[in-house]
Amino acid sequence: MGMSRCYSLMKCLLILFNIVFLVIGLAACGLSVWALWEGGASASVGGTGAGDAAAARAGLCAVAAWGGALALGAIAALWGAARDAPSLLAASFALLALCGVAEAAAACWGAAHLPQLRRALSQRLHYAVRNEYGHGAATQLLDTIQAELKCCGAEGARDWQSSVWSRAEAGASDAAPPQPDDVALDLSVTAPNSYYYVPPSCCLSTEEGGDEASCASARRVPAASGGAAGLHAAACAPKVINALETGARLPLAAGAALLALHALALLLALALCLRARPKPRYKA
């Protein structure tokens, strides 16, 4: 009697866990396929750069594969638990174990490459400031970052001195063409004009003591100076990195919980697989 109740409890827990896995897997797979279909990969990294777009597509394909494997493992577990089928439970065990290993490997890779990820994000922000502002989604993204985080430029307001947008605002006829992602940025290059311009999102808000008149004058910065009094003094790159790391705590906690659920589900699947295994028949 006690063993029967224990078996029923394990089956209910396995079904509950795998319903969660099924929802997560279908959501991850569906969102990734939608992003690939709609071209969201290139837009999410600024809309330009073949290397960025290819890397984003590869990442979305990996997420879609992980979501598909997780959903298939959950379906196999649900069907196997309902029919007491050892083969389906064994298949579910294998697929869930593969997904758990992939999650752990992704977490370890991210932790090991954290400095490189920070450097890549900072370089990407430099590139967007220098070459992409004023064109497409990069303009709205950078304006939102500078306004919300109270910052200006990737490493300071002087970053705008070498930007294509600033040169165009200053009326320069020899604006430098955009550079590839892998070219080192020389932010010490002085614009051909004696002034360079910064976007309005760099200006101090009214709550911070700024106003429209001071913003209009602050946007026109002498090339020989490091900034102006009416602009945000903070750099955006450290603030963006800190905001992303802070915002990643909840997904990391969710990932740890998912790994724990994976471990429990694997144990339950293994126990049910052994319990549902056909008993050997002995001849009298």
Side-chain angles (χ1 to χ4, degrees):
M1 187 68 176
M3 291 297 296
S4 178
R5 289 181 178 178
C6 182
Y7 178 73
S8 300
L9 177 61
M10 288 192 299
K11 182 182 289 189
C12 290
L13 288 176
L14 183 66
I15 291 173
L16 178 62
F17 290 163
N18 282 279
I19 288 175
V20 175
F21 293 155
L22 179 61
V23 172
I24 294 174
L26 290 177
C29 189
L31 288 175
S32 300
V33 171
W34 172 82
L36 288 169
W37 181 264
E38 293 293 330
S42 58
S44 65
V45 293
T48 59
D52 287 338
R57 284 195 297 269
L60 286 173
C61 289
V63 173
W66 170 81
L70 186 62
L72 286 176
I75 292 173
L78 293 172
W79 197 0
R83 300 187 59 180
D84 288 334
S87 58
L88 289 174
L89 291 171
S92 168
F93 180 89
L95 287 172
L96 291 178
L98 180 63
C99 291
V101 170
E103 292 164 18
C108 292
W109 184 90
H113 292 79
L114 187 58
Q116 292 91 322
L117 293 174
R118 289 173 178 167
R119 185 165 57 251
L121 179 59
S122 179
Q123 291 174 350
R124 191 65 183 84
L125 196 57
H126 273 295
Y127 180 82
V129 167
R130 186 178 185 185
N131 298 294
E132 295 180 350
Y133 189 84
H135 305 282
T139 304
Q140 183 178 359
L141 177 61
L142 285 172
D143 281 339
T144 301
I145 290 174
Q146 294 185 143
E148 295 296 328
L149 298 181
K150 314 296 183 186
C151 58
C152 185
E155 297 296 338
R158 196 176 179 86
D159 291 350
W160 291 101
Q161 181 177 347
S162 58
S163 72
V164 174
W165 174 85
S166 178
R167 291 168 184 252
E169 286 288 305
S173 59
D174 56 343
Q179 300 296 323
D181 293 347
D182 56 351
V183 174
L185 301 180
D186 183 8
L187 298 177
S188 63
V189 176
T190 304
N193 304 77
S194 58
Y195 291 89
Y196 65 93
Y197 288 78
V198 298
S201 54
C202 279
C203 296
L204 297 175
S205 63
T206 305
E207 293 79 5
E208 298 170 308
D211 55 53
E212 292 184 2
S214 65
C215 180
S217 61
R219 287 187 61 218
R220 192 167 180 262
V221 184
S225 70
L231 304 177
H232 295 299
C236 288
K239 286 199 168 190
V240 170
I241 293 172
N242 182 65
L244 290 176
E245 290 179 350
T246 302
R249 291 175 185 173
L250 182 59
L252 287 175
L258 187 61
L259 278 175
L261 284 180
H262 260 120
L264 290 175
L266 288 174
L267 292 175
L268 291 173
L270 181 60
L272 290 180
C273 182
L274 295 175
R275 172 69 173 73
R277 185 178 57 186
K279 297 181 180 179
R281 298 179 180 179
Y282 297 97
K283 293 182 180 181

